[in-house]
Amino acid sequence: MKRHSRNPLISRADIPRISPHLDDVSSVFNPGAVRWGDQIVLFLRVQNRGRETFLLPAFSRDGVNFNISTEPVRFLGIGRLPYRIYHIYDPRITRLGDTYYITVAIDMDDGCRIGLARTTDFREFEFMAEMLPEDARNAVIFPEKIDGMYIVLYRPNRSSLDGVSSGSEIRIAVSPDLVKWTPHETVMSGRFHYWDEFIGSGPPPLKTSKGWLHVYHGVATHFGASNIYQAGAVLLDLNHPERVIARSRYNILEPREPYELAGQVPNVVFPSGLIPSQPPRGDTLDDDAELFLYYGAADTCIGLATTTVRELLEACE
């Protein structure tokens, strides 16, 4: 990965002053990303000085210079959930047809749940369902059906990372309608004592001729003083995405720059958006296609790194 010269791409100073709750924000990080026509859309996770969380859309023609909305996202219908909701955060975005589906993490009294919403215009957002009745995060939907079913990768929260619910495996679930999901087998697990002991999905997978290319995050805990969040890559079978074809032995991005090493949560690069820099010619990306990876840095700002499909495939091998 090559960091963009403009990094950090988006920081708290770039967020418009939006009274009363976002008049002076503390951080912006972990954006979802997708192509929408000739634009790139980011969903920014923004925190204010009360540590309340908001989502703000941002729009760009070139993937670098963004126009950030002054209207926080409101999910119509989310009030029917029978929980007290504290935070809605870490969005991932998948296009299916002309509709854009947004998965989010929802903090409530008994843990975290995965929520699903949709939009066609990035102005109105309809909340659809709680996807899985278990404590889980990091859900990403595949951009097409496989064997007539919708597919999602997600991480059950069955472990603790310094007192915070976490997990050490990525699982797969299937659905006929995007609402009722059936969990299936584990796709991959963390590798203890190495860079990806705890893991979770990053952006939604991209289709290549070699398989589904998926970037994930890994957490190393064996450095004693702090956990280190990094990014890696894995290649999944096109027709059986529960099968791992190849997986990077080394991370592809790790905290090295000051804005990644110091911040609200130090030593973090958190991949959450991966899209081609130019509109693709079809559903399958060429090996030479350039990719933009948007990531949260130290839970404080947003970075951009670039690579190609070929480079990530080589990293997997």
Side-chain angles (χ1 to χ4, degrees):
M1 308 296 293
K2 181 181 179 182
R3 290 169 177 83
H4 198 276
S5 60
R6 287 270 301 275
N7 278 359
L9 195 67
I10 301 175
S11 66
R12 58 175 296 274
D14 298 307
I15 304 302
R17 288 184 172 268
I18 308 170
S19 294
H21 302 300
L22 295 176
D23 188 58
D24 181 21
V25 306
S26 296
S27 56
V28 51
F29 54 107
N30 298 4
V34 74
R35 277 203 161 274
W36 179 45
D38 60 354
Q39 298 188 73
I40 291 174
V41 180
L42 297 185
F43 257 40
L44 313 178
R45 174 182 175 180
V46 181
Q47 283 188 329
N48 64 18
R49 293 173 68 134
R51 293 299 179 263
E52 297 170 310
T53 302
F54 295 83
L55 300 179
L56 283 178
F59 304 88
S60 173
R61 300 286 182 183
D62 61 8
V64 176
N65 300 284
F66 281 89
N67 179 26
I68 301 173
S69 174
T70 58
E71 293 291 333
V73 172
R74 292 175 174 82
F75 292 113
L76 302 177
I78 199 169
R80 65 176 179 266
L81 285 178
Y83 315 109
R84 178 178 178 180
I85 296 173
Y86 294 97
H87 301 285
I88 302 172
Y89 58 100
D90 286 3
R92 299 341 194 260
I93 311 173
T94 297
R95 177 187 174 184
L96 288 164
D98 294 327
T99 303
Y100 296 82
Y101 293 89
I102 305 154
T103 57
V104 291
I106 304 175
D107 279 348
M108 49 197 64
D109 285 318
D110 62 346
C112 183
R113 296 291 188 273
I114 298 168
L116 178 63
R118 64 186 172 192
T119 185
T120 57
D121 57 11
F122 289 96
R123 290 192 297 269
E124 293 187 353
F125 305 90
E126 176 193 0
F127 184 77
M128 297 175 60
E130 174 188 345
M131 293 179 67
L132 294 160
E134 62 177 302
D135 197 323
R137 278 183 61 184
N138 300 319
V140 293
I141 297 173
F142 283 68
E144 63 180 55
K145 289 183 177 181
I146 300 176
D147 286 339
M149 301 292 280
Y150 297 101
I151 310 292
V152 70
L153 299 174
Y154 72 101
R155 185 197 71 195
N157 289 334
R158 295 174 180 169
S159 306
S160 177
L161 189 61
D162 289 347
V164 177
S165 294
S166 187
S168 58
E169 63 179 22
I170 294 174
R171 299 198 69 193
I172 200 166
V174 302
S175 171
D177 58 5
L178 289 167
V179 176
K180 297 179 180 178
W181 292 88
T182 302
H184 280 262
E185 60 262 52
T186 297
V187 176
M188 53 190 283
S189 299
R191 295 180 282 206
F192 290 112
H193 303 296
Y194 295 98
W195 73 267
D196 52 355
E197 296 183 87
F198 290 84
I199 60 175
S201 284
L206 298 178
K207 190 176 184 180
T208 75
S209 61
K210 309 296 192 304
W212 292 104
L213 183 58
H214 183 47
V215 170
Y216 68 101
H217 75 262
V219 186
T221 66
H222 62 287
F223 288 85
S226 63
N227 302 315
I228 302 179
Y229 281 73
Q230 299 141 92
V234 63
L235 188 65
L236 306 176
D237 187 273
L238 283 176
N239 298 314
H240 301 278
E242 71 280 3
R243 299 177 184 172
V244 173
I245 298 173
R247 179 179 174 183
S248 60
R249 176 173 180 173
Y250 309 110
N251 72 56
I252 59 173
L253 189 69
E254 66 181 10
R256 291 187 177 181
E257 297 300 318
Y259 54 88
E260 300 162 348
L261 296 168
Q264 187 169 241
V265 180
N267 301 317
V268 172
V269 294
F270 190 88
S272 50
L274 181 68
I275 59 174
S277 63
Q278 299 296 323
R281 292 189 291 267
D283 295 334
T284 302
L285 292 177
D286 297 332
D287 287 2
D288 292 329
E290 183 186 40
L291 301 177
F292 282 177
L293 177 71
Y294 297 94
Y295 64 95
D299 277 17
T300 302
C301 57
I302 291 172
L304 169 61
T306 61
T307 186
T308 64
V309 169
R310 176 176 285 105
E311 287 174 310
L312 289 189
L313 291 174
E314 291 174 352
C316 290
E317 294 291 352

